[in-house]
């Protein structure tokens, strides 16, 4: 089918054609009030078809249920011919192989039965509840959540010799626990997204979430002011993925949507800050041997001791900047244009951890979870988030649980003069890795 789409595209007058196929096989469970409410399995194949006539480019997304090859290609030709010319269009990439490879397929996922997957979910829920009950709460309920796991097969073809394919696994689990005690109620969520199934890791995350749940009973506001901020690894990872990751895109740099424009080779952060983009870490969510253009991937240094070394490139942006693609071309949907994105973005660990930062800091706000961080602005580096799970501490002692306060600042200021510490407690999840961060002088809006 895919080869046929290429052939029809040429016959109908396209000068270039690219086909991208993703076949997903997903087992899903939903959770509500301590019970698994629903189980389902879905098999979906989506195909992205992109073509060009000269410097006019267009694309469409198809499913196997609605594919009529001749009709689909005719529709694409119409889209291409009505599109404006892109003066920078270099064509689809040639075959670019790299020696590196990674593990993205876990047989523990491909071979798991529905019953075994259900047992894993139930064991995780029970671990989450039991750890909270050990803290002498009256009631602990997993109020909502889900488990999704399965495989994705990806294939990319074009007329320049690219024909790459891979099969990768994935697992994502999200559970929210509500704990009630005589002094009040609190909640805590756990979230995991990886390519590998490690039951011991999952149960450890459930234990930690269950133990933390009771810390946030009767959380409230603190006085507005300037505080030391200590971000747990998961919270730091959210800030990095939201504010820093888009800034590393060569397209955003070219189009002046990144503060890193004209900053290559210059100091942009403290010497404590080194960041890599590494698609070769086994079984992490961003691990893969080629990008969505079929270009081989490799590990690369993005920031080295505070110096911005290189942006992340697709074939298109690499051509515009007269350099080589870094194998970071990804698409939001099968038929959409490819744009630079991260694989596994890792802030390298240094020393210390969350607990040592809490003990060393004077008066500090410790943040475990946030909401609204997605409203931060990667164009100028402004961070804005509402703390949903935090603690006000002083010299290692908990003063009060905190929620509802808003933290604001600029990520580049935080990672420069404001940076007091980068921990050694690296945690990688959902394609982003970060240790704990200790930052001086952060604005907190409370009461």
């Amino acid at each position: 089918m895919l080869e046929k789409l290429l052939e029809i595209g040429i016959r109908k007058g396209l000068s270039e054609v690219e086909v991208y196929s993703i076949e997903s096989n997903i087992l899903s469970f939903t959770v509500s009030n301590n019970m698994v409410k629903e189980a389902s399995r879905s098999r979906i194949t989506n195909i992205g078809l992109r073509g060009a006539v000269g410097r006019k480019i267009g694309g469409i997304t198809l499913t196997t249920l609605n594919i009529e090859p001749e009709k689909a290609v005719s529709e694409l030709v119409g889209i291409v011919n009505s599109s404006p010319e892109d003066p920078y269009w270099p064509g689809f990439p040639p075959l670019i192989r790299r020696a590196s490879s990674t593990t993205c397929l876990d047989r523990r996922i491909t071979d798991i039965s529905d019953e075994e997957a259900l047992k894993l979910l139930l064991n995780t829920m029970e671990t989450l509840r039991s750890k909270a009950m050990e803290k002498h709460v009256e009631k602990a309920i997993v109020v909502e959540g889900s488990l999704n796991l399965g495989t994705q097969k990806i294939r990319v073809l074009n007329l320049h010799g690219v024909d790459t394919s891979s099969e990768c696994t994935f697992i994502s689990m999200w559970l929210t626990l509500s704990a009630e005690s005589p002094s009040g109620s609190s909640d805590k969520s756990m979230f995991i997204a990886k390519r590998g199934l490690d039951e011991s890791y999952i149960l450890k995350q459930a234990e930690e979430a269950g133990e933390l749940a009771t810390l946030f009973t009767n959380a409230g506001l603190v006085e507005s002011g300037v505080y030391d901020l200590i971000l747990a690894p998961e919270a730091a990872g959210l800030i990095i993925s939201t504010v820093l990751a888009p800034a590393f895109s060569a397209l955003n740099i070219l189009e002046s949507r990144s503060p890193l424009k004209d900053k290559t080779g210059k100091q942009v952060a403290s010497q404590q800050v080194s960041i890599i983009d590494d698609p070769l870490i086994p079984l992490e969510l961003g691990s893969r041997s080629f990008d969505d253009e079929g270009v081989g991937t490799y590990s690369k240094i993005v920031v080295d001791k505070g110096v911005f070394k290189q942006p992340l490139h697709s074939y298109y942006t690499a051509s515009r900047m007269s350099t080589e693609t870094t194998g970071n071309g990804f698409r939001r949907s099968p038929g959409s244009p490819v744009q630079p994105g991260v694989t596994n973005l890792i802030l390298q660990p240094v020393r210390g951890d969350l607990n040592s930062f809490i003990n060393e800091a004077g008066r500090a706000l410790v943040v475990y979870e946030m909401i609204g961080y997605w409203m931060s602005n990667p164009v100028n580096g402004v961070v804005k988030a509402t703390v949903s799970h935090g603690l006000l501490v002083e010299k290692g002692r908990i003063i009060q649980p905190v929620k509802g306060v808003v933290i604001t600042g600029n990520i580049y200021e935080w990672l420069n003069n404001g940076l007091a510490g980068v921990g050694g407690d690296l945690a990688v999840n959902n394609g982003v890795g970060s240790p704990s961060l200790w930052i001086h002088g952060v604005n907190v809006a409370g009461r």
Side-chain angles (χ1 to χ4, degrees):
M1 168 67 76
L2 304 187
E3 291 84 352
K4 185 176 183 180
L5 289 168
L6 288 178
E7 295 170 2
I8 296 173
I10 293 302
R11 175 161 50 82
K12 288 186 176 288
L14 294 173
S15 56
E16 295 199 61
V17 190
E18 175 195 70
V19 183
Y20 174 91
S21 171
I22 179 167
E23 179 184 340
S24 302
N25 185 348
I26 307 169
L27 174 63
S28 300
F29 299 91
T30 58
V31 174
S32 177
N33 293 325
N34 280 342
M35 296 180 64
V36 178
K37 292 292 189 179
E38 184 180 358
S40 62
R41 185 176 289 277
S42 57
R43 292 179 174 85
I44 305 168
T45 300
N46 289 315
I47 294 174
L49 186 59
R50 299 179 68 219
V53 174
R55 295 184 182 273
K56 293 183 175 183
I57 315 97
I60 57 173
T61 298
L62 313 163
T63 69
T64 52
L65 296 178
N66 66 8
I67 285 184
E68 296 179 30
E70 294 282 346
K71 184 177 179 180
V73 176
S74 294
E75 182 180 351
L76 174 63
V77 170
I79 292 171
V80 170
N81 286 329
S82 62
S83 299
E85 288 194 349
D86 182 344
Y88 303 107
W89 173 246
F92 296 118
L95 181 62
I96 302 175
R97 288 196 178 100
R98 293 190 167 111
S100 54
S101 63
T102 189
T103 302
C104 70
L105 183 75
D106 188 347
R107 290 298 176 190
R108 292 171 293 185
I109 293 179
T110 60
D111 297 343
I112 196 170
S113 67
D114 295 3
E115 293 77 13
E116 290 169 333
L118 175 60
K119 183 180 178 181
L120 170 67
L121 177 57
L122 292 172
N123 286 345
T124 306
M125 292 167 59
E126 179 56 30
T127 300
L128 188 60
R129 291 181 62 254
S130 63
K131 280 298 176 181
M133 294 300 292
E134 288 177 8
K135 298 293 184 178
H136 309 294
V137 301
E138 293 180 339
K139 186 186 295 185
I141 301 172
V142 181
V143 291
E144 58 184 343
S146 65
L147 169 64
N148 299 281
L149 71 167
T151 60
Q152 289 182 324
K153 297 179 181 178
I154 294 176
R155 188 180 177 196
V156 186
L157 302 87
N158 68 29
L159 296 176
H160 300 302
V162 171
D163 188 352
T164 55
S165 61
S166 71
E167 181 179 12
C168 298
T169 48
F170 67 91
I171 177 170
S172 67
M173 182 184 291
W174 156 66
L175 298 170
T176 297
L177 177 77
S178 176
E180 296 183 9
S181 65
S183 59
S185 63
S186 60
D187 64 74
K188 185 71 176 71
S189 296
M190 60 171 284
F191 174 70
I192 293 166
K194 292 179 177 287
R195 293 205 181 278
L197 194 166
D198 184 340
E199 185 170 1
S200 62
Y201 169 82
I202 293 172
L203 295 179
K204 181 181 178 183
Q205 299 304 303
E207 289 179 356
E208 293 179 358
E211 291 174 353
L212 284 170
T214 57
L215 288 179
F216 306 105
T217 302
N218 293 327
L221 301 176
V222 295
E223 295 291 337
S224 298
V226 177
Y227 290 75
D228 273 17
L229 178 70
I230 300 174
L231 296 171
E234 295 77 10
L238 291 175
I239 296 295
I240 289 168
S241 63
T242 303
V243 187
L244 276 186
F248 296 143
S249 161
L251 185 62
N252 287 337
I253 290 172
L254 281 166
E255 298 186 353
S256 300
R257 297 195 302 262
S258 168
L260 299 178
K261 185 177 179 66
D262 300 322
K263 295 295 178 63
T264 303
K266 297 180 180 178
Q267 199 83 24
V268 297
S270 161
Q271 290 190 357
Q272 296 185 74
V273 176
S274 292
I275 300 173
I276 62 172
D277 180 75
D278 191 355
L280 308 182
I281 306 172
L283 299 178
E284 291 298 344
L285 196 65
S287 303
R288 53 193 301 177
S289 296
F290 61 88
D291 68 5
D292 284 350
E293 297 184 284
V295 172
T297 60
Y298 66 98
S299 178
K300 61 203 73 74
I301 298 171
V302 182
V303 177
D304 185 24
K305 296 180 180 178
V307 176
F308 179 45
K309 303 299 288 185
Q310 63 176 325
L312 302 177
H313 282 288
S314 64
Y315 183 70
Y316 174 84
T317 62
S319 174
R320 284 186 62 174
M321 297 179 75
S322 301
T323 188
E324 294 184 357
T325 175
T326 58
N328 287 86
F330 298 104
R331 56 188 88 206
R332 295 180 180 177
S333 67
S336 67
V338 170
Q339 298 184 359
V342 301
T343 57
N344 297 307
L345 192 68
I346 311 296
L347 173 59
Q348 299 285 60
V350 182
R351 66 178 67 86
D353 58 20
L354 184 66
N355 289 331
S356 68
F357 288 170
I358 290 173
N359 289 328
E360 291 174 32
R363 193 173 179 88
L365 177 62
V366 185
V367 176
Y368 293 87
E369 289 187 37
M370 307 169 295
I371 60 173
Y373 57 87
W374 49 84
M375 298 300 289
S376 300
N377 191 346
V379 175
N380 56 18
V382 169
V383 178
K384 183 177 182 179
T386 300
V387 177
S388 59
H389 295 75
L391 298 173
L392 180 65
V393 300
E394 187 166 3
K395 297 180 180 178
R397 183 170 62 92
I398 297 174
I399 305 299
Q400 72 167 83
V402 178
K403 73 174 181 181
V405 301
V406 178
I407 56 174
T408 58
N410 187 283
I411 189 66
Y412 299 98
E413 294 174 3
W414 286 7
L415 296 181
N416 269 290
N417 297 331
L419 189 62
V422 176
D425 51 344
L426 176 67
V428 184
N429 192 25
N430 200 28
V432 179
S434 176
S436 299
L437 295 178
W438 176 7
I439 303 160
H440 289 316
V442 174
N443 292 316
V444 176
R447 59 172 180 262

